[in-house]
Amino acid sequence: MSIAITGATGQLGRLVIEKLKATVPTDQIVALVRTPAKAADLGVEAREANYSQPETLVAALAGVDTLLLISSSEVGQRITQHRNVIEAAKKAGVQRIIYTSVLHADNSPLSLAEEHRATEADLKASGVAYTLLRNGWYTENYTGSIHGAVAGGALLGSAKDGKISSATRADFADAAVAALTGQGHEGKTYELAGDESYTLTELAAEISRQTGKDIPYRNLPVADYAAALASFGIPEGFAQGIANWDANAAEGALFDESHQLSQLIGRPTTPLATAVADALK
């Protein structure tokens, strides 16, 4: 058996490989990356594989039985890039593809969901056995801004009182490993989200509790939040996307209480308090 992971030097990919190494012999793990030299520290075989260069993909997937297709980070190019990987996997004889999609991809209002819906359709039409891991929001998407919130005296956002069922990257990495190494996941779709749901007001309260400072949540109109993010150096288009996703969260797009993630990984997801404490270290 050989397991390959695309995007292996990304934040999620690295976690998946480290966790896989605890259960699978390293000679059965293949890191698929654009620049193999950057994967030297992973301790597994690294092969060049560029989503946008199909000629690299078939050779990279030679001998691979199971593929974890971590969605590309290049929003707007994902449909073609993922299709390239799926076609190459078919040619290389890959037996199963596990894909990291987005929570409730079939009906999510998130702008990100359209490309995921297209890839899910391509997988279902491919004839290759598949598993869909519809990952919810990373807790780090919010805890990554904690230091800025403390420095600025407030946590900013546009999510109003929307409930967010996020989980950490480590939680989602454990889900990927469970799907890669377990049995009975073929044809399954998992809606993956944290056990604990919270509002940004509640996140701000937790930050305040742990820092001993009064850090309120300040809800902004989408345009104002996007402008604030841009002023912090975030590219304008991405800043607009983040603000819009917050607005979607206000309407429930990031909420899920099915607990499928904790069921898949066999443990509770990481509590918000723990994630905040980790971010403050």
Side-chain angles (χ1 to χ4, degrees):
M1 180 182 72
S2 179
I3 297 172
I5 296 91
T6 69
T9 53
Q11 291 174 299
L12 180 61
R14 284 182 172 276
L15 282 172
V16 171
I17 286 180
E18 286 307 308
K19 291 173 179 293
L20 262 181
K21 286 161 64 176
T23 57
V24 176
T26 55
D27 63 0
Q28 294 179 13
I29 303 171
V30 179
L32 302 181
V33 292
R34 290 184 178 183
T35 308
K38 293 182 178 179
D41 61 322
L42 291 176
V44 300
E45 179 185 0
R47 299 178 185 174
E48 181 184 359
N50 190 318
Y51 294 108
S52 298
Q53 296 177 3
E55 66 276 9
T56 69
L57 297 172
V58 176
L61 290 166
V64 170
D65 299 305
T66 303
L67 171 66
L68 175 63
L69 172 52
I70 294 178
S71 56
S72 164
S73 61
E74 296 177 273
V75 177
Q77 301 181 50
R78 288 168 158 178
I79 294 175
T80 298
Q81 291 179 334
H82 297 165
R83 190 169 290 156
N84 289 341
V85 176
I86 293 167
E87 288 300 315
K90 288 173 61 178
K91 292 177 182 177
V94 172
Q95 298 298 302
R96 183 164 64 109
I97 300 174
I98 296 166
Y99 173 62
T100 62
S101 186
V102 71
L103 187 67
H104 302 304
D106 50 342
N107 56 25
S108 173
L110 295 170
S111 59
L112 297 170
E114 181 179 353
E115 291 179 305
H116 288 296
R117 282 192 287 268
T119 296
E120 288 189 5
D122 284 344
L123 277 170
K124 291 174 181 179
S126 70
V128 179
Y130 67 88
T131 304
L132 302 179
L133 301 180
R134 288 179 170 171
N135 289 354
W137 230 229
Y138 296 141
T139 305
E140 290 89 345
N141 290 350
Y142 288 113
T143 58
S145 63
I146 285 179
H147 288 290
V150 172
L155 178 69
L156 306 181
S158 294
K160 297 182 180 177
D161 292 321
K163 286 282 190 179
I164 298 160
S165 310
S166 69
T168 64
R169 284 192 181 89
D171 294 332
F172 289 119
D174 278 340
V177 171
L180 286 165
T181 60
Q183 301 295 318
H185 300 297
E186 290 83 355
K188 298 287 185 64
T189 297
Y190 295 101
E191 303 290 354
L192 303 181
D195 293 334
E196 180 184 3
S197 300
Y198 58 89
T199 66
L200 292 188
T201 296
E202 291 168 336
L203 172 57
E206 182 61 29
I207 296 169
S208 299
R209 185 185 71 80
Q210 293 199 29
T211 61
K213 299 179 180 180
D214 182 19
I215 309 297
Y217 170 57
R218 185 177 302 156
N219 195 76
L220 301 176
V222 169
D224 292 350
Y225 183 37
L229 291 170
S231 74
F232 301 148
I234 295 175
E236 187 172 336
F238 189 42
Q240 188 65 51
I242 293 172
N244 285 330
W245 301 330
D246 247 26
N248 295 144
E251 303 300 324
L254 303 182
F255 175 70
D256 180 273
E257 54 184 353
S258 66
H259 300 283
Q260 292 182 39
L261 176 52
S262 54
Q263 291 167 16
L264 182 59
I265 64 179
R267 63 167 176 81
T269 58
T270 306
L272 180 65
T274 300
V276 169
D278 289 343
L280 286 169
K281 288 179 180 176

